[in-house]
Amino acid sequence: MASARHGEEYIAQGIRILRPPNFSGPALYFNYDVHPFEMKEFRQAMAYAIDRGQNGTVSLGQSGVPSKTMAGFSDNITGWLTEETQAALNPYEFDRAKAEEILTGLGFTRDSDGVWLDDTGARMEFELTAPAEFADWSAAAENAAQQLTDFGIKTSFRGVNFQQHPIDIDNGDFQLAIRVWGAGNPHPQFSFDTDLRVLNKAQSGIGDTSLPGMNMPMVQQTDVLGEVDLGQMIVDAGSGQRP
């Protein structure tokens, strides 16, 4: 909460705050080795269950602007997408009824205290970590954990030393984590590289491939394009080739 509070104090003192068009921010990363995080539908339900506008405000006040397109790169560079493509993207607006519908459709139920049980009957109780010294990311993590808990996905927040946290993520020693998405570059390839490869070494083939990271398979089956190789698509995007 510190960052947002300091912004309010600066405004009260008449100090003008400049908000540059940043191309990155904090994101929620999943460990794909933890069930049911590997299920696309479950992650979609999580997106509906979190009020990103509230989360951004708690984190950085007026500067905490939630992503609208959810395209994997900044809304400030959506010129890379046609209007038709942008219109086809799901903005995942806050809708807990939709989230509940998805989970019920997966065979999930609620325990007697309202906590969700997954399709194996296990209670959904997780830990969300973030760099303790990053006031904005920690605030975002605390708020996301509380929102998920309110929805019935019981989530606790734990702050980790900012130097240790990326090591834990690379080693796969996490369930949910707040790390950066996007990149400070106006070409989307750099954002996709950060989103899908940097914290995914074992699957992406970059860096120390003995480190699992979030262990998200780079070859995915999609509803729209069938099987896609995300790693190759990122390489092609950077070289200017059309997949």
Side-chain angles (χ1 to χ4, degrees):
M1 293 291 288
S3 296
R5 184 171 62 250
H6 289 167
E8 294 173 358
E9 292 174 357
Y10 291 149
I11 293 173
Q13 294 173 22
I15 298 174
R16 185 162 62 99
I17 298 177
L18 298 179
R19 296 183 171 88
N22 291 331
F23 301 141
S24 65
L28 184 63
Y29 281 83
F30 298 82
N31 185 334
Y32 280 65
D33 290 332
V34 177
H35 185 69
F37 297 163
E38 81 285 1
M39 302 173 70
K40 173 193 68 177
E41 296 83 1
F42 175 75
R43 300 192 304 274
Q44 290 174 323
M46 293 270 280
Y48 282 118
I50 297 175
D51 184 340
R52 300 193 308 278
Q54 178 192 118
N55 190 265
T57 299
V58 166
S59 176
L60 280 172
Q62 294 181 39
S63 297
V65 180
S67 175
K68 295 180 180 179
T69 60
M70 298 285 278
F73 56 87
S74 173
D75 291 336
N76 293 311
I77 54 175
T78 51
W80 289 97
L81 302 175
T82 65
E83 292 184 2
E84 181 181 10
T85 297
Q86 292 185 49
L89 294 174
N90 187 343
Y92 291 98
E93 295 179 355
F94 180 53
D95 187 345
R96 286 189 173 167
K98 180 65 175 177
E100 180 140 4
E101 177 186 333
I102 292 174
L103 294 186
T104 301
L106 292 173
F108 292 16
T109 57
R110 288 186 184 268
D111 209 343
S112 57
D113 59 355
V115 173
W116 283 98
L117 305 173
D118 68 20
D119 53 334
T120 71
R123 283 173 62 88
M124 299 183 65
E125 300 183 354
F126 306 112
E127 179 184 74
L128 169 59
T129 65
E133 295 83 359
F134 294 7
D136 51 347
W137 288 16
S138 292
E142 283 190 281
N143 177 261
Q146 186 59 59
Q147 287 198 51
L148 289 172
T149 298
D150 292 343
F151 174 63
I153 300 175
K154 194 171 182 180
T155 308
S156 60
F157 163 69
R158 179 169 63 90
V160 178
N161 172 268
F162 77 100
Q163 295 167 312
Q164 180 63 39
H165 195 245
I167 296 174
D168 289 350
I169 307 307
D170 281 344
N171 288 330
D173 293 335
F174 75 104
Q175 294 180 316
L176 295 166
I178 295 290
R179 296 300 301 174
V180 71
W181 67 272
N185 190 296
H187 194 295
Q189 190 270 349
F190 293 90
S191 292
F192 289 130
D193 191 66
T194 299
D195 299 343
L196 302 175
R197 298 177 76 192
V198 172
L199 301 182
N200 200 33
K201 294 179 173 61
Q203 294 283 343
S204 67
I206 64 170
D208 185 348
T209 57
S210 68
L211 302 176
M214 61 179 177
N215 212 21
M216 170 189 170
M218 295 294 282
V219 176
Q220 293 278 336
Q221 289 292 333
T222 71
D223 298 332
V224 177
L225 297 175
E227 183 176 284
V228 297
D229 185 335
L230 297 173
Q232 188 60 52
M233 292 177 76
I234 292 171
V235 171
D236 291 344
S239 64
Q241 298 181 41
R242 185 181 180 89

